[in-house]
C-alpha cells in the first residue's frame, strides 16, 4: 500500500484508540517511559560481567533491560546467565537499579515447555513475555504457515494469560513482505487475538520504508512495547536515536494511541550512549 493511502486508511482507526484490550488497559500509560535496552546487543559483556555491564549502562541513563531467556538463548551468547540462579539475576538487576519487566523467549523453547518459561517469568518478576520470532521460514513460508503460527501464539497467549501474564510477539523485517498480494504483518494482525497476543514493534523496519507511528495509529491499543533504532540512509546506515529518519516526536505521540508501555533500544553498543542522551531529552 502506498504511504498516502496507508495513512488515510490508518486514520479511520483513531476513534477506536480508547478501546484497548482489557489486559492492556491497566498497563497503558501516556506519561514518561523508562529508557530501556535490549540485552541481545550487549550479550557478550553481560555474560562476562553482569553487574559491571549493568552499572555501565545505568551510568549512560538506561533504566530498564529486556532479558533474553537464558534457557532459550543459552547457546546464543547467554550461557553465563543460564548458569546463574534466577534470584541472583534479579538481585543483581535490583542492585544496579535496572528494571526488568520483559523478556524474549524463543519459539522452540515455548514449544518444548511453555510452563517452564512462565515459571521463569514469574520468578524474575516479569510483566510481559515476548516470543521473538515464529517457526516460519522467511523464504519459503506460505500465508497458511503464518496463520498456523498465529494460531499457536493465540493458544500460548491464552495459557499465559491464565497464569497471570500478558504475552506478545516481536516482528522482524520478513513480516513486511507480501505473499499472494497480502502483507504478512497485516495477516498476522488480523489472525492474532488482541486479548491474547500484543505486539512489540521493531522500529528498524524504517530502513525498508515502514514507520512505527503509522502502525500504532492503524492498530490502536495493540502494542505493548517497541525496539528502538534509527536509520541515516544507505550511506550512513544505523545511527543513534534522534539522528536519523525516524520522526521521534510523532513516534511518541502515536505511542499513546498504540498503547506502548516499554521501549528498548536495540542497536550496536557504540550507539547506545548517544541514543540514551537523546531519549533523556525527550
Amino acid at each position: 500500500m502506498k504511504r498516502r493511502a496507508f495513512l488515510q486508511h490508518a486514520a479511520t482507526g483513531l476513534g477506536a484508540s480508547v478501546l484497548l484490550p482489557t489486559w492492556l488497559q491497566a498497563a497503558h500509560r501516556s506519561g514518561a517511559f523508562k529508557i530501556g535496552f535490549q540485552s541481545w546487543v550487549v550479550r557478550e559483556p553481560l555474560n562476562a560481567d553482569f553487574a559491571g555491564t549493568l552499572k555501565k549502562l545505568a551510568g549512560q541513563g538506561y533504566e530498564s533491560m529486556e532479558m533474553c531467556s537464558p534457557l532459550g538463548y543459552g547457546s546464543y551468547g547467554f550461557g553465563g546467565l543460564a548458569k546463574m540462579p534466577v534470584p541472583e539475576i534479579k538481585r543483581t538487576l535490583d542492585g544496579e537499579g535496572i528494571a526488568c519487566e520483559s523478556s524474549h523467549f524463543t519459539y522452540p523453547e515455548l514449544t518444548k515447555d511453555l510452563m517452564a518459561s512462565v515459571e521463569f517469568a514469574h520468578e524474575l518478576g516479569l510483566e510481559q513475555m515476548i516470543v521473538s520470532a515464529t517457526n516460519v521460514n522467511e523464504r519459503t513460508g506460505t500465508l497458511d504457515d503464518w496463520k498456523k503460527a498465529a494460531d499457536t501464539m493465540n493458544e500460548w497467549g491464552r495459557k499465559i494469560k491464565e497464569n497471570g501474564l500478558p504475552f506478545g510477539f516481536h516482528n522482524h523485517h520478513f513480516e513486511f513482505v507480501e505473499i499472494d498480494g497480502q502483507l504478512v504483518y497485516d495477516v498476522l494482525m488480523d489472525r492474532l487475538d488482541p486479548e491474547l497476543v500484543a505486539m512489540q514493534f521493531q522500529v528498524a523496519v524504517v530502513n525498508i520504508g515502514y514507520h512505527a507511528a503509522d502502525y500504532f495509529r492503524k492498530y490502536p491499543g495493540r502494542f505493548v512495547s517497541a525496539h528502538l533504532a534509527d536509520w541515516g540512509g544507505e550511506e550512513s546506515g544505523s545511527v543513534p536515536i534522534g539522528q536519523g529518519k525516524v520522526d521521534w516526536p510523532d513516534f511518541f505521540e502515536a505511542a499513546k494511541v498504540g498503547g506502548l508501555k516499554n521501549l528498548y533500544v536495540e542497536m550496536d553498543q557504540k550507539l547506545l550512549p548517544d541514543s540514551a542522551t537523546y531519549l533523556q531529552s525527550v
Side-chain angles (χ1 to χ4, degrees), residues 18-35:
V18 296
L19 302 178
L20 305 183
T22 53
W23 69 264
L24 192 54
Q25 290 177 16
H28 175 68
R29 59 182 183 174
S30 57
F33 294 97
K34 294 186 182 75
I35 301 173

Side-chain angles (χ1 to χ4, degrees), residues 9 13 18 37 40 50 71 73 99 110 119 141 169 180 197 228 234 238 242 264 269-270 273 277:
H9 176 75
V18 296
F37 66 93
W40 175 262
F50 190 47
L71 180 63
Y73 286 84
L110 297 182
E119 182 179 351
F169 168 68
D180 299 334
V197 185
L228 306 189
E234 292 298 331
S238 295
Y264 302 105
Q269 294 179 41
K270 66 179 182 292
T277 298

